[in-house]
């Protein structure tokens, strides 16, 4: 129908970067059907791109009101509040999302990241346990657990978290790199070199890995190769 056609046009204009025309098309869609959630969601995204954060909030809220299971609207609205360090409203939005979408892993993980930013480590670990239970090979969850332990100066627990992650996904360059760097800092050079080399082979664009591997090789006696890195 006409309302959906205007939504499609607005989405296309937004993708092309013509935000003025996109807003006009989406407002026309809303004028034709006030019960459509998507144009409000897209308008929220546009205001976010324009750095008009306060103007984005009511659009995301309206999208959620019209479609209570709108995952990406919860995700973007929670992220918007979090970017402004408004952690209370961010947590409230994500909890609302989990009422509408019980067990939704993306909302749980975002909630864990907010708790981590607030140094509420116990709450963050509780959420991350739920994430890993649903997605055992999710590398970023294992990495965040390691970061929590490092923030508490518990390098041994951080190593265990990274090793658990690598047991679930032995090819994760992120986990290989983090564990390799941590082992190098702890003086476990041989294993660190192996992990860092594997991480670089999988993802050659990680600058901190080049530095750590170079230092590890120097300590290992491979001076020419270390200096090259």
């Amino acid at each position: 129908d006409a309302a959906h056609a205007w939504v499609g046009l607005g989405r296309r204009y937004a993708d092309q970067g013509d935000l003025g025309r996109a807003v006009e098309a989406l407002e026309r869609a809303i004028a034709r059907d006030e019960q459509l959630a998507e144009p409000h969601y897209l308008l929220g995204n546009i205001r976010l791109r324009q750095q008009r954060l306060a103007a984005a909030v009511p659009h995301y809220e309206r999208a959620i009101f019209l479609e209570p299971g709108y995952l990406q609207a919860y995700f973007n609205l929670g992220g918007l509040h979090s970017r402004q360090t408004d952690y209370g409203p961010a947590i409230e939005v994500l909890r609302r999302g989990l009422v509408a979408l019980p067990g939704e892993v993306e909302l749980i993980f975002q909630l864990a990241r907010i708790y981590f930013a607030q140094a509420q480590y116990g709450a963050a670990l509780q959420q991350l346990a739920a994430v890993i239970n649903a997605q055992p090979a999710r590398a970023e969850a294992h990495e965040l657990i390691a970061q929590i332990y490092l923030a508490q100066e518990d390098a041994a627990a951080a190593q265990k978290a990274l090793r658990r992650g690598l047991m679930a996904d032995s090819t994760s360059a992120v986990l290989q790199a983090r564990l390799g760097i941590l082992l190098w800092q702890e003086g476990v050079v041989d294993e660190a070199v192996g992990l860092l080399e594997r991480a670089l082979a999988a993802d050659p664009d990680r600058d901190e890995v080049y530095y750590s591997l170079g230092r590890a090789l120097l300590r290992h006696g491979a001076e020419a190769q270390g200096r090259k890195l």
Side-chain angles (χ1 to χ4, degrees), residues 2-187:
H4 285 93
W6 281 113
V7 172
L9 186 61
R11 190 187 307 108
R12 185 160 67 250
Y13 281 138
D15 290 343
Q16 295 170 353
D18 191 342
L19 301 186
R21 284 187 174 181
V23 168
E24 182 180 350
L26 294 168
E27 288 176 344
R28 286 177 180 267
I30 293 167
R32 282 160 177 75
D33 187 348
E34 295 180 353
Q35 300 307 306
L36 282 180
E38 188 177 9
H40 286 286
Y41 167 74
L42 293 172
L43 283 167
N45 289 350
I46 288 169
R47 297 313 182 201
L48 201 58
R49 287 171 64 178
Q50 295 172 325
Q51 297 299 309
R52 296 174 58 187
L53 304 187
V57 170
H59 286 297
Y60 288 135
E61 289 286 9
R62 184 64 179 169
I64 289 168
F65 174 80
L66 292 170
E67 190 177 320
Y70 208 140
L71 170 61
Q72 200 61 41
Y74 288 110
F75 190 83
N76 287 11
L77 181 56
L80 184 157
H81 287 306
S82 183
R83 279 174 57 183
Q84 300 177 93
T85 64
D86 290 336
Y87 295 127
I91 289 169
E92 186 271 334
V93 166
L94 296 172
R95 285 177 174 166
R96 274 195 285 142
L98 287 167
V99 170
L101 299 161
E104 175 51 57
V105 175
E106 295 308 318
L107 298 178
I108 297 171
F109 184 69
Q110 191 174 16
L111 193 56
R113 293 182 66 168
I114 291 170
Y115 284 134
F116 173 66
Q118 293 181 296
Q120 294 187 36
Y121 299 134
L125 287 170
Q126 184 178 12
Q127 301 302 321
L128 289 167
V131 172
I132 290 171
N133 185 57
Q135 297 178 346
R138 184 159 184 164
E140 57 186 342
H142 292 284
E143 184 188 21
L144 185 53
I145 290 172
Q147 288 183 44
I148 289 169
Y149 287 127
L150 288 173
Q152 299 175 93
E153 300 184 349
D154 191 343
Q159 284 187 37
K160 288 180 182 178
L162 294 168
R163 291 187 190 280
R164 281 195 298 268
L166 284 168
M167 287 177 64
D169 180 7
S170 62
T171 65
S172 170
V174 170
L175 297 179
Q176 290 167 353
R178 293 301 175 208
L179 182 56
I181 291 170
L182 187 56
L183 290 172
W184 168 69
Q185 291 170 343
E186 295 289 316

